[in-house]
Amino acid sequence: MNIPILSTKLYIPQPRPNSVQRPRLIERLNAGLDRKLTLIAASAGFGKTALISEWTADCGRRVAWLSLDKGDSDPVRFLTYFVAALQTIKEDLGTGVVDLLQSQQPPPIESILTALINDISAIPFKFILVLDDFHVVDSKEINEALSFLLEHLPPQMHLAIATRENPPLPLARMRARGQLNELRAADLRFTPNETALFLKGMMRLDLTADEITALESRTEGWITGLQLAALSMQGRRDIPAFIQAFAGDNRYIVDYLVEEVLQLQPNHVRAFLLQTSILDRLNGPLCDAVTGRQDGAMQLEALEQGNFFVVPMDETRHWYRYHHLFAEVLSAYLKEEQPDQLAGLHLSASTWYEKHGFSADAIRHALAAEDFARAAGLIELDWADMRRNRQEAAMLGWLKAIPDELVRQRPVLSVIYAWALLSAGEIATVEERLQDAERWLEMADAHEKTESFLEGMVVVDKEEFRGLLSSISLYRAANALAQGDISAAMKNARRVLGLVPETDHLRRGAAAGLLGLAYWTNGELETAYHSYFDGMANLQLAGNLSDVVGGSIALADIRIAQGRLRQAMRIYEHGLQLAAEQGEPAMRGTADMWVGMSELCRESNDLPKALQHLVKSKEQGEHTGFPQNQYRWRVAMARIQEAQGDLDDALKLYAEAEQLYVSDFFPNVRPIAALKTRVWLKQGRLDDALNWMREQGLSVDNSLSYLREFEHITMIRVFLARYASGRTDHRSLPVAIGFLERLLKAAEEGGRLGSVIEIMIVKALADQLESGIPAGLVPLQRALSLAEPEGYVRVFADEGPPMAALLEAALKKKIAPHYVSRLLTAFSQTEPSMPVKQTLSEQLSERELDVLRLLRSDMSGPDIARELTVSLNTLRSHTKNIYGKLEVNNRRAAIRRAEELGLF
């Protein structure tokens, strides 16, 4: 039988121009040339053929190529083409074999292969034979023939196979013998850098780094997926919106995967794929529950062996998932072709998940099946665990999906809804939900039916229902605290403590914690600490360890306000240890501990360690942080950048933090707007600082409160900057100093040592400004005596040159000499260009100092002359003298030099 040869099947594909070079993979392929077989196995669209084409174009060996199709499953046809491919590198190779294949009675295949192996052994050079698309061949005889060939393969030949499925060859034996080199889908996926090269170079798309990263993540590096996305983007104007919406229902993706994958499968495989596409993860028993069959594990194993867009999720191959885009295609196809099956499939999944203790998945699938009553019941039974693990965001999403009339029939569910709303900061409708639950309780009391429930009321968790009155008071306390009604918060928290027994650690812990937060808001720090500590101890007994770890933030913040930095560090370290003891995955709150420790390291001026802690927090992942962690992280990084002199970057981070602010019931005692204002003052942006002061309604006539203490200290800083600029009269400074005295008295009475230290520092600067360095040393000495035991550094160093001058004077007078020397070292470390002490060869006169202060403002020359009641020529003479003495030649340089010298 003479089989005609189609020459295009022997054509070696040429690398496409401008294609992405993949040297990391080429290097691996070259390293495996001394082995018998290279296997490149992955699903459709992973660039197998393109990679081999690139490799063979420059591998240093001759190459024969055979592109296979379904017709090649016939052994004679396969071997005929196999020899024809070999003859492209040596024309007379295997001519006798061809004669045997074309004879009326071909001998056994092993005999034919033996003759072919002998011919190959006589070739004087090394070569590669590529079998592309080997998955289309379905023949036991051919598989056995290749196994025989590989067992006896001459050293001249290297076989390379590209396939979508694992070929039934002795791969395990070859792997054990070191005869196999293999690349899989995980190896073939584009890296982020290759994705960028592909989209920008080959597809000629002008995308940002974030857009490229989003596409790479969305496609999981699947090359054809990226190409189809790129095709879809051509001619579009709103590229960011497209990328955000890019999914498995994109028509190019659907057409490709349906035609290339789904339609080629047998009916039972196609049905399995579609029915299990509703699942985010798959294992054998779960698939059996959804499909109603008993072959789930076998099907998953077969799909993995066939490189079928299936990704193992563990080392034991128990759990799998589909490639995201493939799953979305299957899901879209199922909704279009078999929409009536969806509810039943989801309900089966929900039942299986509930039976096996996966409550969140059970709830999610019940909602997908639109069995809202089932979902509501599951939520009610599971909410204690969800609350313990702080999964309020997921809970709120589920509750919003349930029809409102169904929620209102369920008093326990209504209280759960109030909790979820509170946790998300959506406090407007919390009281409405609590009243829904309260009405059922009042009706039950009126009818004396606390155990036999009223008609129309649905209760699944009867134990929770019995404690519902205290739960309502608890969430009323939290809601009042969130709205700033401290009196109501305390009243309701105390009511809870009076209602629940000593053994109800959960409610007692939550109530004591809320009471502690209320005391904190009032500035009663020691009482706040003990109440909150008692709350966390109860929550730990209740098993709510995530809340206990998160509680470390409040306890440490209170101790920081009290000036007890070392104890605050121990609190964070204990929280981190508690989280670590729970093992992997990292407990929620872990990331927050690193941020807190970073803040304390920054204050002690260990900036490298502070940065390391923030990096560690980031590495933990956002899921290991409480809602407030995102803004706290940015504030901590901004303060480090501020300490390093990167003021513009610090402001950017503060702006981001403002957008992400979440209170989590903590008092906002250090508003981000005030932190920004302090940076503006360092930048000389006095007008911005004054605008902030006006917007906040700040003045020396304000009543004092702990909540506004930080803002009031910042306000005095603005007063001092305005006075130093000459934009106010001399009478304003004593007024500011008087207000500082009021602040100091309130902070001392409240035991807020952290504020006392800062107030004394600001007062030292004010006294220096008013009466000179000797006057400033008096409050400075007290600040030093309070700060030294706790290791404060940045609170002094952040004040810049004026504080450096004061500290130099303190050192001369031997005031806390060791501590002051350490502080001065911090100045030289963070501002190396600024000498700690500088002197002028010729001092400025009082009049020249007046001029210099006004030069620091945004006033023009004529305005300054009018302010000083001098002529413009006189002003120019003063300015010229100032420039000469400061050794500068312009206004900006004069201001900078004066700041370095502490002249302001």
Side-chain angles (χ1 to χ4, degrees):
M1 179 176 64
N2 194 359
I3 297 175
I5 299 298
L6 186 63
S7 60
T8 53
K9 286 167 62 68
L10 311 179
Y11 172 74
I12 302 176
Q14 297 302 302
R16 292 181 61 183
N18 301 319
S19 62
V20 176
Q21 301 299 302
R22 314 197 72 184
R24 64 185 178 89
L25 298 182
I26 300 299
E27 184 178 345
R28 285 183 58 181
L29 292 170
N30 285 332
L33 277 172
D34 58 342
R35 304 180 184 186
K36 290 186 175 184
L37 173 64
T38 289
L39 177 66
I40 302 179
S43 309
F46 272 96
K48 301 180 292 292
T49 301
L51 176 63
I52 299 181
S53 173
E54 180 188 346
W55 172 44
T56 56
D58 194 28
C59 66
R61 294 192 182 188
R62 298 189 192 184
V63 178
W65 192 289
L66 174 56
S67 296
L68 297 163
D69 57 45
K70 287 184 178 179
D72 295 322
S73 292
D74 175 75
V76 173
R77 175 185 166 95
F78 175 86
L79 287 173
T80 301
Y81 267 104
F82 193 95
V83 173
L86 292 173
Q87 289 176 344
T88 61
I89 59 170
K90 192 172 187 300
E91 192 172 352
D92 59 347
L93 193 153
T95 51
V97 172
V98 174
D99 292 338
L100 290 173
L101 289 169
Q102 293 178 353
S103 62
Q104 292 291 328
Q105 293 264 328
I109 285 183
E110 279 196 12
S111 300
I112 297 174
L113 288 174
T114 300
L116 181 60
I117 289 168
N118 290 335
D119 282 0
I120 294 171
S121 298
I123 295 178
F125 52 81
K126 292 186 175 183
F127 68 94
I128 301 171
L129 172 62
V130 178
L131 299 180
D132 195 18
D133 287 336
F134 188 74
H135 55 275
V136 299
V137 174
D138 183 16
S139 167
K140 181 182 178 182
E141 292 87 346
I142 292 174
N143 294 329
E144 290 174 347
L146 275 185
S147 297
F148 180 84
L149 175 66
L150 285 167
E151 183 69 25
H152 304 284
L153 193 70
Q156 291 94 327
M157 178 175 168
H158 181 83
L159 183 64
I161 294 178
T163 176
R164 295 182 185 179
E165 304 171 2
N166 268 356
L169 301 173
L171 299 180
R173 185 169 71 234
M174 295 185 71
R175 195 177 290 121
R177 292 176 177 176
Q179 297 172 341
L180 174 64
N181 186 32
E182 52 191 325
L183 296 180
R184 302 285 178 170
D187 305 303
L188 298 176
R189 289 188 176 96
F190 270 171
T191 64
N193 186 52
E194 289 170 338
T195 300
L197 290 172
F198 175 77
L199 293 171
K200 286 189 169 184
M202 194 166 179
M203 301 307 294
R204 302 186 183 282
L205 291 171
D206 184 20
L207 302 178
T208 67
D210 287 344
E211 289 166 347
I212 290 169
T213 299
L215 272 179
E216 190 269 335
S217 173
R218 197 74 194 82
T219 59
E220 299 184 70
W222 179 39
I223 299 171
T224 295
L226 286 165
Q227 186 173 16
L228 296 174
L231 290 171
S232 301
M233 282 188 280
Q234 290 177 355
R236 290 181 180 269
R237 293 182 179 179
D238 192 355
I239 295 299
F242 169 82
I243 291 173
Q244 188 175 5
F246 182 66
D249 57 1
N250 177 274
R251 64 186 180 90
Y252 290 111
I253 298 285
V254 172
D255 290 348
Y256 180 85
L257 287 177
V258 168
E259 292 174 11
E260 289 288 323
V261 179
L262 200 57
Q263 289 184 352
L264 301 180
Q265 305 312 309
N267 288 338
H268 73 282
V269 174
R270 186 161 58 247
F272 180 87
L273 291 170
L274 292 173
Q275 290 169 344
T276 57
S277 68
I278 66 160
L279 303 170
D280 291 338
R281 52 189 178 138
L282 314 101
N283 69 18
L286 173 57
C287 291
D288 291 344
V290 170
T291 63
R293 292 156 45 172
Q294 299 298 318
D295 61 346
M298 186 176 67
Q299 283 290 349
L300 290 172
E301 186 179 347
L303 290 173
E304 186 189 10
Q305 290 293 318
N307 292 297
F308 221 88
F309 292 98
V310 173
V311 181
M313 298 178 72
D314 53 37
E315 294 292 334
T316 61
R317 298 306 204 259
H318 180 66
W319 285 102
Y320 295 84
R321 69 169 175 84
Y322 292 126
H323 184 290
H324 295 317
L325 287 179
F326 185 56
E328 289 168 3
V329 167
L330 293 175
S331 182
Y333 198 74
L334 176 66
K335 288 175 184 175
E336 185 177 337
E337 298 293 318
Q338 303 168 27
D340 55 323
Q341 281 199 35
L342 281 170
L345 294 170
H346 280 295
L347 202 54
S348 296
S350 177
T351 303
W352 186 92
Y353 275 125
E354 180 193 9
K355 181 180 177 182
H356 291 84
F358 298 101
S359 302
D361 295 295
I363 293 166
R364 190 165 45 80
H365 282 286
L367 289 172
E370 297 188 355
D371 190 338
F372 298 118
R374 173 179 172 78
L378 289 169
I379 290 171
E380 194 167 318
L381 290 171
D382 192 53
W383 92 290
D385 285 336
M386 297 287 287
R387 179 176 54 190
R388 186 178 299 116
N389 297 316
R390 295 294 298 261
Q391 297 181 53
E392 57 271 7
M395 182 72 81
L396 183 59
W398 297 334
L399 289 165
K400 287 182 175 179
I402 296 174
D404 204 51
E405 61 272 15
L406 191 148
V407 176
R408 293 181 187 278
Q409 293 174 341
R410 299 167 180 254
V412 175
L413 200 66
S414 294
V415 171
I416 295 171
Y417 208 151
W419 163 76
L421 289 165
L422 271 168
S423 300
E426 299 180 24
I427 61 177
T429 57
V430 169
E431 181 59 27
E432 180 184 343
R433 296 295 173 184
L434 294 175
Q435 288 177 6
D436 286 341
E438 202 167 40
R439 271 191 291 272
W440 285 112
L441 289 181
E442 290 169 354
M443 291 169 63
D445 286 341
H447 294 81
E448 297 181 351
K449 293 182 178 181
T450 54
E451 293 296 334
S452 55
F453 301 117
L454 297 166
E455 184 179 349
M457 181 174 72
V458 180
V459 174
V460 178
D461 189 340
K462 295 180 175 59
E463 182 65 30
E464 188 63 38
F465 180 77
R466 280 189 281 273
L468 208 58
L469 184 60
S470 58
S471 293
I472 291 170
S473 294
L474 181 66
Y475 296 126
R476 279 219 169 99
N479 195 33
L481 189 62
Q483 297 187 51
D485 189 344
I486 306 305
S487 176
M490 288 183 165
K491 175 186 171 183
N492 280 286
R494 288 180 180 131
R495 185 182 185 203
V496 176
L497 293 173
L499 283 170
V500 301
E502 293 287 337
T503 54
D504 191 343
H505 298 298
L506 181 61
R507 290 187 181 88
R508 292 195 73 83
L514 288 170
L515 201 54
L517 293 175
Y519 283 125
W520 182 12
T521 304
N522 271 350
E524 301 172 62
L525 299 187
E526 194 61 24
T527 306
Y529 184 87
H530 289 295
S531 181
Y532 200 84
F533 185 87
D534 180 59
M536 295 306 102
N538 270 284
L539 289 177
Q540 187 161 358
L541 290 171
N544 285 40
L545 293 181
S546 183
D547 284 327
V548 176
V549 172
S552 300
I553 303 170
L555 292 172
D557 276 358
I558 292 170
R559 285 307 193 217
I560 290 168
Q562 292 178 303
R564 303 182 192 178
L565 304 189
R566 301 189 193 282
Q567 191 173 351
M569 180 62 86
R570 288 194 293 272
I571 290 169
Y572 280 129
E573 289 169 347
H574 178 262
L576 195 61
Q577 180 184 352
L578 186 63
E581 287 171 357
Q582 311 313 308
E584 296 295 335
M587 177 176 280
R588 195 172 186 191
T590 306
D592 305 80
M593 299 303 99
W594 291 110
V595 171
M597 291 191 294
S598 171
E599 284 271 49
L600 291 167
C601 288
R602 183 203 61 82
E603 179 52 50
S604 67
N605 204 41
D606 191 347
L607 300 185
K609 196 168 186 178
L611 279 168
Q612 287 172 16
H613 287 337
L614 288 185
V615 170
K616 189 72 175 176
S617 174
K618 206 74 167 175
E619 288 173 351
Q620 297 292 307
E622 286 189 4
H623 64 286
T624 67
F626 288 109
Q628 59 192 196
N629 188 56
Q630 289 192 56
Y631 95 83
R632 285 178 71 104
W633 190 96
R634 283 163 175 80
V635 168
M637 181 60 83
R639 298 193 73 194
I640 292 172
Q641 291 184 328
E642 198 177 333
Q644 294 173 331
D646 300 328
L647 301 184
D648 288 338
D649 288 339
L651 282 174
K652 289 175 186 175
L653 281 166
Y654 281 138
E656 290 178 20
E658 268 186 312
Q659 299 301 314
L660 296 166
Y661 176 76
V662 178
S663 75
D664 205 19
F665 306 109
F666 289 12
N668 188 14
V669 294
R670 296 173 74 87
I672 296 169
L675 289 167
K676 285 168 57 180
T677 301
R678 295 182 175 210
V679 178
W680 290 338
L681 292 175
K682 290 180 179 180
Q683 293 178 319
R685 294 166 59 178
L686 182 56
D687 286 338
D688 289 329
L690 289 167
N691 286 335
W692 164 81
M693 210 171 77
R694 282 190 289 269
E695 288 168 4
Q696 300 303 316
L698 293 167
S699 80
V700 292
D701 298 322
N702 291 154
S703 299
L704 301 186
S705 73
Y706 173 56
L707 277 181
R708 304 212 76 179
E709 193 164 79
F710 188 77
E711 290 179 307
H712 280 141
I713 296 171
T714 306
M715 176 190 76
I716 296 302
R717 291 177 177 279
V718 178
F719 280 178
L720 298 184
R722 184 169 61 176
Y723 180 84
S725 72
R727 291 174 60 178
T728 186
D729 63 51
H730 66 280
R731 290 170 297 181
S732 64
L733 192 55
V735 173
I737 293 173
F739 191 79
L740 272 177
E741 296 286 358
R742 289 174 57 202
L743 282 173
L744 179 62
K745 185 173 183 291
E748 287 174 332
E749 289 174 352
R752 300 188 290 274
L753 188 63
S755 293
V756 170
I757 291 170
E758 185 182 3
I759 292 166
M760 295 306 297
I761 287 171
V762 175
K763 189 172 187 310
L765 296 171
D767 289 348
Q768 177 193 25
L769 195 60
E770 183 182 44
S771 305
I773 284 178
L777 289 178
V778 177
L780 177 65
Q781 185 169 6
R782 186 180 174 208
L784 290 168
S785 68
L786 295 173
E788 183 176 9
E790 296 295 329
Y792 282 90
V793 176
R794 289 308 319 172
V795 71
F796 294 96
D798 288 343
E799 300 298 340
M803 178 53 65
L806 273 173
L807 289 171
E808 278 285 352
L811 189 61
K812 283 184 177 181
K813 290 185 174 292
K814 295 184 169 47
I815 298 172
H818 296 298
Y819 185 39
V820 169
S821 295
R822 180 185 165 204
L823 294 178
L824 288 169
T825 302
F827 280 86
S828 62
Q829 286 174 344
T830 54
E831 298 183 64
S833 62
M834 182 201 73
V836 173
K837 181 184 179 184
Q838 298 185 31
T839 58
L840 291 172
S841 56
E842 184 178 359
Q843 297 300 311
L844 298 179
S845 69
E846 286 298 318
R847 196 53 165 170
E848 286 166 349
L849 285 170
D850 289 339
V851 172
L852 184 60
R853 291 189 187 100
L854 292 176
L855 288 174
R856 195 186 190 193
S857 72
D858 55 4
M859 295 171 68
S860 66
D863 289 340
I864 293 173
R866 280 192 293 272
E867 178 71 18
L868 295 173
T869 323
V870 298
S871 69
L872 196 54
N873 283 335
T874 301
L875 175 66
R876 286 169 180 161
S877 296
H878 285 314
T879 305
K880 184 178 178 182
N881 290 338
I882 292 168
Y883 289 175
K885 291 178 181 180
L886 295 179
E887 299 178 6
V888 298
N889 55 19
N890 61 58
R891 181 173 179 172
R892 181 176 295 177
I895 293 166
R896 185 167 59 248
R897 176 69 170 157
E899 286 174 342
E900 291 173 355
L901 293 166
L903 296 179
F904 292 122

